[in-house]
Amino acid sequence: MLREGMERIKSSAGRVTVWLSMSLALLSCSDTTEREIAELVEAQLAALTLEQKVAQMIQGEIKHVTPDDVRKYGLGSVLNGGGSFPSDNKYASVDEWVALADAYYDASVDQSEGNAGIPIIWGTDAVHGHNNVIGATLFPHNVALGAVRDSDLIGRIGAATAKEVRATGIDWMFAPTIAVATDLRWGRAYESFGSDPEVVGSYAGPYVSAVQAEGVMATAKHYIGDGGTHRGTDQGDTRLPLDALLSRHGRGYVSAIDADVKTVMASFNSWNGDKIHGNRELLTDVLRGQLGFEGFVVSDWNGIGQVSGCEDDRCAKAINAGIDMIMVPEDWESMLHTTVAQVKAGEISLARIDEAVSRILKVKYEMGLMSRGKPSATAAKYSEAIGAAEHRALAREAVRRSLVLLKNENGLLPLNPAGTYAVVGAGADNIGMQSGGWTISWQGAGNTNADFPGATSIKAGIEAQVTAAGGKIVAAVDEAPLDAAIVVFGEQPYAETQGDIDSLAWQQRNKRDLKLIEDLTGRGIPVVSLFLTGRPLWVNAELNASDAFVVAWLPGSEGAGVADVLIADGSGEPRYEFEGRLPMNWPGADLNASVADDPVDEVLFPMNYGLSSKDRGVWVALNEQPIGDGGSIDQVVFGRGVRDPWQLYVGDGLDWSLAVGPRGGKSSRGELQLSVVDRHVQEDARRADFSGNGDHLSQLYFQYDEAVDMSDLEAVGGVLTMDLRLHTPPSDAVFLRMDCGWPCSGAVDLAPVLKTMVAAEWRTVSVPVACFASRGVDLSKVNTPFLIATRGVLSVDIAEIAIREAPPKNSLFDCDGLAANP
């Protein structure tokens, strides 16, 4: 049958007309051997045109690829990026996810418009559960799982995640991330299982095996050295000899390849100055020749565009280096045509195209995608998987086992369940905050508790256990005498580059969490600090001020797992003991004292440290003096994303304060549309499109609900600085405003500056804060450092916004009429 099927494929005169039905028959009648798959791939490849081959190498994003596009061009794959949903609907049901998967599948096997009829594969960033789908189980992020040291747990989490992915008709996960984080300033540190290559290696294989056993393709990413970049800069440069690179950052890949991982994703970072997406030595010689990888390599989001001499839609160098499938979310059609032209021009050999397509087809056969049929047929078998009770129980287990106890004075923990407590702080009742980045949206921002059906906040979990035992949770700290206060604080959600930081100091300038802790202890209330974080940070002051300090990492949807450990049983004994051990060194300083660009080398608690509730010791006060300048008055308001503590709003006379989510928003009248755009990296800028007719004012602004003292700015000549790119010049006055609690305010007209700008070119504009002070702003209580408003038409991109002691070169404009300084 196999031989006959291949002969029929070969005789199809360049069009694959019967291969799908034949492969269905072949693969259903017996277990197809490796040799049989190779022969099928060879025969099928021979029947494809060049255009059909290149189409198999293209992966577009579901926002930019319709089923009709797939029917016409026969793309090999689609993906949904973080914050991307069917019909762009955040609340898309599971049925809607499956329906879209069916639509793509049906289009891919429909040969009516000339495509090859090869089933498409859909990839998704399911990095801590199926995190783009409302109602899915959200597991703790990798940094927390690294604190557990249990490869069996990792396998069970991988299997549960894969089942939830299959329930939506998707067959490819961009996970696991097997980075080894070496500088905690890196914005993706929480995606790493830790700083120990052995731990990462021990997790990668079991995770891959469990995922692929459920019929979902796994991805080992990001190859290689993503966690080792200079200064922890995301997409930066990893500077190591090859042997050291493989020893420190390669062990997870050895483990994943041993588990037969089907795909590897290339990393954005460079290696000794050379972008990995274009590095043949690493992508081919090492990955395949030395490590023995036999699947296919997929690029990261427009990663080929970062290779020298390349663009997002053209990069012969990356394909020649070993990229098999190209993730080109928006410019996929241009990429397809350009690559075909490059092959015809001899820039890419046909042999290299055949090699890449053969690898993709081989994996599709090995994973059963050629014979699986409609995604809905398989999804029906997993219809109860999304947010399943057993998956939530597994996530809750992972939460309680990952908690790391750093301090427990006088044996405060576990707490008596019959006591009276207050649970306070920004993270107490905030499921989005406890889940971190890659949660529904890419950055994890813009969500409310209502967006997590079936999930439990940390406060709700504690309250359930305390009230069940006869205890009480009060709404305010002065409502009743307290046995303790639980303060839940930490990092706001972020992802990738937008999470990069310059210092490990926690709230170095505005220490509002420390003030809350000290206010409680000043009243004689014992404080349990619960720190939500994607990485170890310098929190010496908060540690000193707290009676007990627990690192909860980013626990995900099952906040009740925290209460399982914090709250004792009826006899006062732990129901579950603290089990977590640090997966990374905990810093004893904010910066490296010798070389600021190097990782912090002063260790407060070493890797593998963690107390049990029964451990006793004498707390020695920690040094609270930072190495960095804790008094710096520079503050970034918006840089690669909205910076803590600021929130972005739009508004007009119908509603002046509409909070903006990660994908943008619009004012009530619709005369201001705010969207995300890319400048240096994905979604690091915002486009403001004002469309007023002169009647109504529309505005966008950044605000914090507490006043921030910026009074020292004026004395040093401080400025409000912003990077702008003009598209449509203003038709009316453009008010640039700073507020100190409306109507305390001061404004200047930015229109004269905007009218001098060259369209589509970035320009840095700095305005002295003295301008705003002279117009009525009290700089000692600023709550809105940047507001821009107009009644007319204006289209402008906005990138970095900051308050700085000194303006960048050639950016300063004076106050009177904002005429450029000579």
Side-chain angles (χ1 to χ4, degrees):
M1 179 178 284
L2 177 64
R3 181 68 59 189
E4 177 188 356
M6 287 192 297
E7 290 302 321
R8 292 176 65 185
I9 291 174
K10 290 177 180 178
S11 68
S12 61
R15 290 282 309 276
V16 181
T17 57
V18 295
W19 72 267
L20 179 58
S21 60
M22 287 306 307
S23 62
L24 282 166
L26 291 169
L27 296 174
S28 63
C29 68
S30 64
D31 292 331
T32 309
T33 66
E34 183 176 339
R35 179 180 175 182
E36 288 172 331
I37 287 176
E39 291 178 341
L40 270 173
V41 169
E42 180 183 0
Q44 187 175 332
L45 186 68
L48 298 177
T49 66
L50 174 59
E51 289 76 10
Q52 290 170 340
K53 291 175 182 178
V54 173
Q56 282 299 298
M57 299 171 62
I58 302 295
Q59 182 183 61
E61 215 273 347
I62 65 171
K63 283 186 178 180
H64 308 290
V65 179
T66 67
D68 284 342
D69 292 328
V70 173
R71 182 175 292 105
K72 179 177 179 180
Y73 293 102
L75 302 189
S77 180
V78 291
L79 81 148
N80 66 285
S84 186
F85 320 96
S87 302
D88 206 23
N89 175 18
K90 171 179 174 177
Y91 301 102
S93 67
V94 172
D95 287 345
E96 288 173 301
W97 283 89
V98 174
L100 184 58
D102 272 357
Y104 282 130
Y105 173 83
D106 288 342
S108 70
V109 299
D110 180 352
Q111 301 175 39
S112 63
E113 295 189 33
N115 84 58
I118 299 172
I120 198 168
I121 46 176
W122 180 343
T124 188
D125 281 297
V127 296
H128 68 130
H130 199 8
N131 44 259
N132 277 127
V133 177
I134 297 289
T137 308
L138 298 176
F139 294 93
H141 271 292
N142 285 359
V143 66
L145 302 180
V148 182
R149 305 294 202 279
D150 185 345
S151 58
D152 176 71
L153 176 69
I154 294 302
R156 287 188 283 143
I157 288 173
T161 302
K163 289 174 182 177
E164 298 204 18
V165 167
R166 293 210 70 174
T168 57
I170 298 175
D171 33 41
W172 184 7
M173 286 166 48
F174 299 142
T177 300
I178 49 179
V180 177
T182 59
D183 191 321
L184 302 180
R185 292 173 292 187
W186 184 39
R188 306 190 77 155
Y190 65 81
E191 296 186 56
S192 169
F193 292 120
S195 299
D196 186 347
E198 292 292 340
V199 172
V200 174
S202 72
Y203 278 11
Y207 190 97
V208 167
S209 294
V211 167
Q212 294 188 167
E214 296 296 334
V216 177
M217 288 162 49
T219 307
K221 69 178 191 182
H222 308 87
Y223 179 83
I224 184 175
D226 49 348
T229 58
H230 181 61
R231 295 193 81 256
T233 300
D234 191 43
Q235 305 183 22
D237 191 23
T238 299
R239 304 168 183 176
L240 288 171
L242 179 59
D243 287 350
L245 178 74
L246 292 175
S247 176
R248 186 172 302 174
H249 299 283
R251 299 190 191 185
Y253 294 96
V254 173
S255 175
I257 291 167
D258 285 346
D260 195 27
V261 68
K262 299 303 181 184
T263 67
V264 165
M265 182 179 289
S267 184
F268 281 124
N269 65 275
S270 301
W271 174 48
N272 297 327
D274 187 23
K275 281 290 180 181
I276 286 175
H277 272 75
N279 190 300
R280 180 176 174 81
E281 179 182 6
L282 290 178
L283 292 178
T284 297
D285 299 344
V286 174
L287 181 59
R288 296 190 182 279
Q290 188 169 336
L291 301 183
F293 176 59
E294 295 183 350
F296 69 80
V297 175
V298 62
S299 64
D300 208 336
W301 186 285
N302 285 332
I304 62 168
Q306 297 187 15
V307 176
S308 178
C310 293
E311 303 291 340
D312 288 348
D313 65 346
R314 63 194 66 219
C315 193
K317 184 177 180 180
I319 295 172
N320 290 332
I323 298 293
D324 300 309
M325 181 171 282
I326 309 135
M327 186 189 296
V328 54
E330 186 170 359
D331 298 328
W332 56 268
E333 185 177 352
S334 178
M335 183 74 204
L336 195 162
H337 296 316
T338 299
T339 304
V340 169
Q342 288 175 326
V343 175
K344 291 179 178 178
E347 297 175 50
I348 304 170
S349 71
L350 182 59
R352 173 68 193 103
I353 297 296
D354 286 350
E355 179 181 61
V357 178
S358 294
R359 291 167 177 168
I360 294 166
L361 295 177
K362 175 175 175 286
V363 167
K364 288 185 176 184
Y365 275 112
E366 289 173 340
M367 293 302 298
L369 298 176
M370 297 296 203
S371 57
R372 187 175 291 172
K374 279 195 175 188
S376 55
T378 301
K381 301 175 184 177
Y382 295 86
S383 59
E384 304 299 320
I386 296 291
E390 61 268 28
H391 296 171
R392 293 192 181 277
L394 176 60
R396 183 168 174 171
E397 175 192 346
V399 172
R400 65 173 176 255
R401 296 180 64 190
S402 67
L403 302 180
V404 179
L405 180 62
L406 297 183
K407 182 181 181 181
N408 192 24
E409 289 293 271
N410 303 313
L412 178 61
L413 294 176
L415 298 171
N416 177 1
T420 301
Y421 306 102
V423 185
V424 298
D429 193 29
N430 190 329
I431 300 172
M433 183 173 168
Q434 73 191 38
S435 297
W438 295 107
T439 299
I440 304 177
S441 65
W442 174 41
Q443 292 294 314
N447 302 312
T448 68
N449 283 2
D451 295 327
F452 301 92
T456 307
S457 73
I458 291 170
K459 181 178 181 180
I462 293 172
E463 187 166 18
Q465 296 194 24
V466 169
T467 56
K472 184 179 181 182
I473 300 295
V474 299
V477 295
D478 54 1
E479 184 176 315
L482 298 180
D483 293 295
I486 302 168
V487 180
V488 189
F489 66 98
E491 294 188 295
Q492 293 294 326
Y494 57 82
E496 298 192 46
T497 305
Q498 297 184 24
D500 285 358
I501 53 178
D502 296 323
S503 165
L504 296 185
W506 176 246
Q507 292 182 346
Q508 193 165 6
R509 179 168 172 79
N510 185 350
K511 300 189 79 68
R512 56 191 182 278
D513 294 324
L514 179 61
K515 292 175 184 176
L516 174 58
I517 295 168
E518 289 178 336
D519 176 66
L520 292 165
T521 57
R523 302 184 189 199
I525 301 170
V527 169
V528 178
S529 285
L530 195 68
F531 193 37
L532 300 176
T533 182
R535 51 194 157 196
L537 292 171
W538 188 62
V539 289
N540 280 14
E542 290 78 9
L543 277 161
N544 282 334
S546 306
D547 296 279
F549 196 100
V550 178
V551 184
W553 309 111
L554 300 172
S557 61
E558 306 313 301
V562 173
D564 290 343
V565 186
L566 259 61
I567 309 300
D569 65 16
S571 65
E573 292 298 313
R575 287 182 304 143
Y576 294 96
E577 186 54 83
F578 284 95
E579 184 179 337
R581 300 293 179 263
L582 291 177
M584 307 161 177
N585 290 332
W586 197 274
D590 54 323
L591 291 171
N592 187 300
S594 302
V595 182
D597 280 349
D598 288 349
V600 172
D601 58 358
E602 184 175 337
V603 177
L604 178 60
F605 302 114
M607 198 183 320
N608 300 318
Y609 180 87
L611 300 173
S612 75
S613 64
K614 300 186 184 303
D615 289 330
R616 297 291 180 267
V618 177
W619 184 260
V620 178
L622 305 173
N623 171 40
E624 297 182 15
Q625 182 63 40
I627 293 170
D629 184 3
S632 172
I633 61 178
D634 283 7
Q635 291 193 48
V636 177
V637 177
F638 179 87
R640 304 187 303 267
V642 183
R643 295 298 187 92
D644 183 52
W646 310 105
Q647 170 65 49
L648 177 58
Y649 297 88
V650 296
D652 57 30
L654 297 180
D655 189 334
W656 290 112
S657 301
L658 289 174
V660 175
R663 303 300 303 175
K666 65 179 179 179
S667 61
S668 294
R669 283 194 174 91
E671 293 181 350
L672 169 57
Q673 298 272 352
L674 195 64
S675 57
V676 296
V677 293
D678 299 347
R679 185 188 184 187
H680 298 304
V681 297
Q682 184 183 353
E683 299 183 8
D684 63 342
R686 298 293 181 269
R687 177 163 299 164
D689 289 309
F690 294 87
S691 57
N693 60 9
D695 292 338
H696 306 293
L697 192 72
S698 300
Q699 64 185 29
L700 73 88
Y701 59 98
F702 296 86
Q703 193 171 86
Y704 176 47
D705 57 9
E706 294 182 17
V708 177
D709 187 355
M710 298 184 180
S711 55
D712 46 2
L713 278 164
E714 187 172 9
V716 298
V719 295
L720 170 64
T721 184
M722 66 213 81
D723 287 355
L724 304 175
R725 180 171 61 180
L726 184 70
H727 295 286
T728 303
S731 65
D732 207 327
V734 178
F735 301 104
L736 178 65
R737 210 172 81 199
M738 186 177 285
D739 290 354
C740 40
W742 179 263
C744 176
S745 179
V748 297
D749 184 4
L750 193 62
V753 174
L754 293 170
K755 290 178 179 178
T756 68
M757 292 176 59
V758 177
E761 291 186 5
W762 284 100
R763 184 173 183 181
T764 301
V765 175
S766 298
V767 179
V769 297
C771 289
F772 304 104
S774 67
R775 286 160 169 76
V777 172
D778 182 346
L779 291 174
S780 70
K781 53 179 184 179
V782 173
N783 74 328
T784 306
F786 175 94
L787 181 150
I788 189 169
T790 186
R791 291 181 172 85
V793 172
L794 170 67
S795 179
V796 64
D797 291 344
I798 303 170
E800 183 170 285
I801 299 171
I803 305 294
R804 299 200 182 280
E805 296 183 49
K809 187 177 180 181
N810 299 324
S811 71
L812 185 63
F813 289 79
D814 70 20
C815 202
D816 296 326
L818 287 180
N821 278 358

